[in-house]
Amino acid sequence: MSRLYDTYSLLKKTDENADNTLYLFKSGIFYIFLDNDARIASSLLNLKLAYLTETIVKCGFPINSLEKYKVLLKNTPYKIKIVDTSQNISYSIADYSTDSSIKELLSEIASVNPDELSISEAYAFIEKINKASKSILGGTL
């Protein structure tokens, strides 16, 4: 957890909008807020605080609850940035959702064997990809 906290501290020190930004860290199967961001998020989202040390707290939610919390976070006065520590990238919540959707779409496309599709299956697949692409292009927070 110290690596996450070190990243959190660095972001808070270097981001000129740090006072109005809450950093949400993807950690395993959870998204978590740390320290002061956790205190703020806990009061805004009714999340339970847990102590990491005597002074540092965290709170969070499972990754499969992101869509639910995106709606709630959108209605706060704070800018939310998701930090993906596996790639050392910080995203806005909308960009993170778009990036994740694009990766899912590309994974689905890559898994298709065109030699095994009938003409009707290929047409249905193209329609599905078209619909998903339009959703990604229009889906922003």
Side-chain angles (χ1 to χ4, degrees):
M1 188 61 68
S2 65
R3 188 175 134 227
L4 285 182
Y5 186 76
D6 291 344
T7 302
Y8 168 80
S9 296
L10 180 64
L11 289 168
K12 284 298 192 177
K13 288 177 187 171
T14 58
D15 186 348
E16 61 188 39
N17 295 317
D19 291 340
N20 296 323
T21 302
L22 300 180
Y23 292 96
L24 183 59
F25 290 85
K26 184 176 180 190
S27 179
I29 60 170
F30 289 94
Y31 288 105
I32 60 171
F33 292 100
L34 297 171
D35 207 24
N36 193 51
D37 288 5
R39 289 181 175 85
I40 294 168
S42 173
S43 66
L44 292 171
L45 305 173
N46 199 28
L47 297 171
K48 184 179 176 183
L49 289 173
Y51 283 87
L52 295 173
T53 68
E54 289 182 18
T55 58
I56 300 171
V57 293
K58 72 174 182 172
C59 68
F61 53 87
I63 59 173
N64 62 357
S65 298
L66 181 62
E67 291 303 314
K68 170 188 168 185
Y69 285 101
K70 268 178 40 176
V71 174
L72 297 172
L73 291 167
K74 182 179 180 181
N75 295 318
T76 70
Y78 296 93
K79 183 177 180 180
I80 309 299
K81 287 191 177 178
I82 296 177
V83 180
D84 186 342
T85 55
S86 67
Q87 299 177 9
N88 284 332
I89 297 175
S90 160
Y91 296 92
S92 72
I93 200 163
D95 289 344
Y96 183 81
S97 294
T98 299
D99 189 57
S100 297
S101 297
I102 289 169
K103 286 178 182 174
E104 285 176 30
L105 182 61
L106 290 174
S107 177
E108 187 171 348
I109 291 169
S111 70
V112 171
N113 183 346
D115 296 330
E116 295 178 358
L117 294 177
S118 69
I119 292 173
S120 62
E121 289 171 328
Y123 182 74
F125 181 73
I126 291 169
E127 281 186 334
K128 181 179 179 180
I129 297 302
N130 182 273
K131 184 177 180 181
S133 300
K134 287 179 181 175
S135 176
I136 291 169
L137 291 172
T140 59
L141 179 66

